[in-house]
Every structure is written in structure tokens, then in C-alpha cells.
Amino acid sequence: MTAGAIWLALRVAPLQTVSAAGQIAQVGATLPNASLRGPGELDLFGEVMATKPDFPGPIRPRLSLEHITIDPQVVQMLRADGPAKVELTLSQQLAAGWEHYFLWETLIAVGFAAVPLIAVAAVRRKPAIWRLLTAGVVVVVAVNVGGIALTASGTPKVLRSVKTVDDLVGVDPLAETSPVGAAQPGVQAVVIGDSTAAGWGLPWGQNPTAEEQACGRSPESYATDLAAANQWNVLNLACGSATIENGLLGPEVLYNGEVAPPQLPQAAAATNAKLIVVSVGADDLSWSVMTKLCAASAVCDDKISSAFFNQLLDTFTRNYYQLLSDLEGLPSHPAVLVNEYYSPFGADVGCLQQYGMTPAKVKVLLSRLGQLNKVLAQGAGLFGFGVAAPRFTGHELCTAVPWVQGPSDQAPLHPNAAGELAIALADQQAFPLLSPPPVMLPSPSPSPTTTPALG
């Protein structure tokens, strides 16, 4: 009866929620294991994996990380207390969560044991029912607490050694930032990111490489504008559909089957680069797919799509902070400038109604875009990096002179040549030390009404 009560309690005892620096985790225990030592279990945004550290005993921690909240209060705390204080808080919270969990588990085990004990006493009509019940409870508590003390006493010590969530899962080996390829000391600035930075949908230059074609890199991208304005050699590594995991920190499989190497290690090869510009996030959140689904659906803020977006945003937030940490650790210590995303929609969406877009749907999409930009800005601010906020006000879709490619263009919602120039202007203003002295960029002008097709 004692063994059954403990087993049931381990299955139903509620996980204990702990938090530190916006990382919200739940702490519980696995079911007993045959081995006397091994890894615990971590549910990381729905993906279950073994923990990096091993724990003593057959009962080990079960941890769940389902949400990351980075708000102004968290950023202020991180700046005020410093990383060491935050790391200490997380380790203490995990250990305390484990201890609180077993307090609840013990009480639940007592409850499971008390019910059949009372039933047995009632059936057999034992007059000393309270003595029987007390003895049973004492046995359950002794076995439960004694067993945990003997087999899992070292678990709090291991949890107190965990400083960050990465200590639990390890760092993805693809996130290494060792330079890839020959050093490029002649590069003054590097652009990494997705199709917005690549110039997707804009004309190619002469004799583009296979990778440039597959990535959609265009000489009309804002990287080229910055190079011309500052008389710099700017290396554009951005690639269409790039995410942090598959593109910046890890390799990216391109649509033609080719594999593009990770962008950040290539950027590290630019040993004299003064600046790295980052444009990332849209593909991590499947922005293009979500926009199409929004246009095709009756509403865009249904619970399913909202929950999906929040899950993607949580995962992106964690990956983004890993990217920022890797950028901070580059041996050349370049300045870093993070680009927020422009709003492609204005007050008038009449030209998009035939595609199913309405003002209400646009409001939902812009709200989600605002959440992404908030994460981008707060993360950059926490690491002391710059932030550029391009504004397409008066030049959105459905305006007379849009800076965004339309539904019939090669890359809808992506910047056209004028939009790329507007992003370069925002970067120039956000980082005034781009050149001594900078060459003034011209104001963005209307793009041709038709965009040359890729290829």
C-alpha cells in the first residue's frame, strides 16, 4: 500500500513553478528508474530531452520550460543585479522547487494511503482505527522521506550548480562561433539575417553565385547602400528563410538542396569588422505563413493561432538571447546593431481586401509584429547593443509610393529597393559612427512598378 501510494503521488503531484530573469520553469520528479544514477528529464517548449547533468538516485528531477517573459521589469533587474545575482537566484529557485515538490508529494502519498487504510479499518471493524491510520501514515512518510533522503539527497546540490537553462540542456554544437573559412580582415561591416536583409525579390547583380541566388542576395539590399554611403567593404551573409537555429547559428538547407554554412561563424572571420547588423525573427515566427493563414481565415486572433504564435515567440526569445550572447563573445568585439521590423501595412488596406485582408486582421498582425520588435529591442538593450527602427510611414502597401513589394511582386511584404534604402537610413541614424564622416544617403525614391523576377 505504501509503494502504491508513493507511485501514485509521483504521477499526480503538481509541478512547482519557479522563475528567475524571465525564465519560468516547473520542477517535479520522474517515476522511479532502475538505475541508481542518470539524467533527469526536461520538457523544453514541448520537446522532451534528457538533462545534461546526471542526478543520483532512481528518482530524478523532471523540469519543464514552457514560457519566457522578458519585460521592462526583468531587464531592469538584470541590469541592476547583474548576471551573477540572477544565476544564483535561478539555482536557488530550482533547488527550492524540488524541495517544495516533495513536500507536496509526501502529503499526497499520505492521502492516497489514508483512504484504503480507513476502508480496511471500516470493513474489518477495527476499533483502533486511528492507531492503524497513524501507523500507516508514519510508514508512508518514513519510506517516502527516507527513500528520497537515501537516493536523491544529492539532487538539490546538482540543481544549485545550474546557473542558466543552458546548463541543463547544453549548448547546441552548431552555435559555436569559431571563424569559418579564411579570415577576411578587409571587411568593415557584416550583415547577417533573413530575406529582409538579403534583398529577396530584388534583382541580382552580374554573375551571382549559386548561394547568392538561392539566398536571394541582391546588390539593391541595404547592405550595399551602407557600403556605398560609408565607403566600406560590407559582407552580406543574409539568406532567405534564415532562422537563428537554421541560418545564423547553424547551417541552412536552401530550397535548391544546397546547404549554406552558418552565418555567425562566417561573420567571426571578418576579424576587423567594426559593426555587425542583425535582421532576424520573421522566419523564426513563420511570419509569411501566419500572414497567409490570417488572410485566408475568418479571424486571426483565434486561440489556436494565438497559442501557436506565443509558443514560437517563446522559442525565438530563448534562441535570440543565445545569439546575442554569442555576438557579445566574438573575439573582435564589433559593435552590434539589431534591426526591428517595419510595418508593411498602413491605415488603408483597400488594395488587400481581394486577398481576404481586413483592418481587424491587420490589427492582429501588427500587434504580433510589435511583440517581436519588443523582444528584439529589449534583448539588444540588455546586452548594450544598438537598435534601429525603420519606419515606412506613408509608404506602406496601398499607398501611392510603397516601399514594400505588393501581393503580385516577387516577394510580397518584403522591402523594395526604396524600402531597403530606408532601412539603411535607419541604420545610419542609429549608429552615427558608421564612417568618419558619413556620406549622406539620398532619400528613398519610388521603385519601378514592376520588380524583375528572380532568375
Side-chain angles (χ1 to χ4, degrees):
M1 193 176 296
T2 297
I6 294 174
W7 184 82
L8 285 172
L10 288 170
R11 291 188 65 90
V12 304
L15 299 180
Q16 299 299 297
T17 301
V18 300
S19 64
Q23 299 178 103
I24 301 175
Q26 293 182 307
V27 185
T30 63
L31 292 176
N33 194 287
S35 61
L36 296 179
R37 187 177 185 87
E41 182 181 288
L42 177 65
D43 184 342
L44 190 62
F45 303 112
E47 182 182 354
V48 179
M49 62 189 71
T51 60
K52 181 181 178 181
D54 286 341
F55 296 88
I59 300 177
R60 300 161 196 157
R62 180 163 69 94
L63 308 169
S64 175
L65 182 66
E66 297 180 350
H67 191 67
I68 294 178
T69 301
I70 303 296
D71 55 28
Q73 289 76 22
V74 170
V75 174
Q76 184 178 5
M77 180 190 68
L78 286 168
R79 287 174 172 168
D81 296 340
K85 176 70 176 295
V86 172
E87 291 174 356
L88 178 62
T89 302
L90 179 62
S91 62
Q92 291 175 337
Q93 289 289 336
L94 289 174
W98 171 262
E99 294 165 353
H100 292 162
Y101 170 82
F102 269 107
L103 176 60
W104 278 103
E105 185 271 340
T106 299
L107 294 174
I108 293 172
V110 168
F112 277 132
V115 173
L117 285 171
I118 294 173
V120 169
V123 171
R124 300 188 64 182
R125 298 181 180 179
K126 289 281 187 180
I129 181 173
W130 294 112
R131 191 190 314 164
L132 176 65
L133 183 59
T134 301
V137 168
V138 169
V139 171
V140 171
V141 172
V143 172
N144 196 66
V145 176
I148 294 168
L150 291 174
T151 63
S153 58
T155 295
K157 180 179 179 181
V158 177
L159 288 175
R160 287 190 180 96
S161 70
V162 173
K163 305 304 182 184
T164 66
V165 175
D166 285 329
D167 291 340
L168 290 171
V169 296
V171 178
D172 192 332
L174 295 178
E176 296 294 334
T177 55
S178 301
V180 170
Q184 301 193 54
V187 172
Q188 286 84 27
V190 182
V191 172
I192 61 176
D194 54 22
S195 53
T196 300
W200 191 269
L202 300 178
W204 290 323
Q206 295 181 351
N207 303 317
T209 66
E211 182 178 295
E212 288 173 339
Q213 294 184 41
C215 286
R217 292 187 198 131
S218 169
E220 295 187 10
S221 67
Y222 70 77
T224 304
D225 296 329
L226 288 174
N230 297 280
Q231 301 176 7
W232 273 5
N233 178 10
V234 178
L235 176 63
N236 189 1
L237 299 172
C239 192
S241 301
T243 65
I244 292 177
E245 287 189 302
N246 302 310
L248 274 69
L249 300 184
E252 178 185 0
V253 179
L254 307 177
Y255 72 88
N256 62 354
E258 298 292 327
V259 177
Q263 296 178 31
L264 186 56
Q266 292 184 84
T271 52
N272 292 329
K274 301 177 182 178
L275 173 69
I276 294 182
V277 183
V278 182
S279 294
V280 71
D283 289 302
D284 294 78
L285 300 184
S286 300
W287 179 254
S288 176
V289 174
M290 294 194 72
T291 302
K292 293 176 182 177
L293 287 175
C294 180
S297 303
V299 294
C300 298
D301 55 352
D302 60 282
K303 291 185 177 180
I304 294 178
S305 63
S306 297
F308 179 60
F309 172 80
N310 289 331
Q311 180 184 8
L312 292 176
L313 186 64
D314 286 341
T315 303
F316 168 74
T317 302
R318 181 176 181 275
N319 292 338
Y320 177 53
Y321 276 68
Q322 178 63 58
L323 170 66
L324 295 176
S325 178
D326 289 349
L327 285 165
E328 185 181 43
L330 289 176
S332 57
H333 303 294
V336 176
L337 184 63
V338 177
N339 280 341
E340 293 184 5
Y341 284 91
Y342 54 89
S343 171
F345 306 110
D348 179 15
V349 294
C351 67
L352 302 176
Q353 289 183 352
Q354 60 178 313
Y355 301 99
M357 198 62 72
T358 65
K361 292 180 179 181
V362 166
K363 184 177 180 180
V364 174
L365 291 174
L366 292 183
S367 173
R368 292 173 178 171
L369 187 64
Q371 293 180 62
L372 169 58
N373 283 336
K374 182 178 179 180
V375 171
L376 292 171
Q378 290 181 342
L382 177 61
F383 281 81
F385 297 155
V387 178
R391 296 287 181 261
F392 284 17
T393 306
H395 297 279
E396 303 95 340
L397 286 171
C398 303
T399 59
V401 185
W403 292 349
V404 186
Q405 297 183 55
S408 60
D409 289 325
Q410 194 69 34
L413 302 185
H414 287 71
N416 56 26
E420 293 284 344
L421 187 56
I423 296 175
L425 280 168
D427 289 342
Q428 193 81 26
Q429 294 169 358
F431 195 79
L433 299 180
L434 278 171
S435 68
V439 178
M440 295 304 296
L441 290 171
S443 299
S445 56
S447 293
T449 56
T450 58
T451 302
L454 286 172

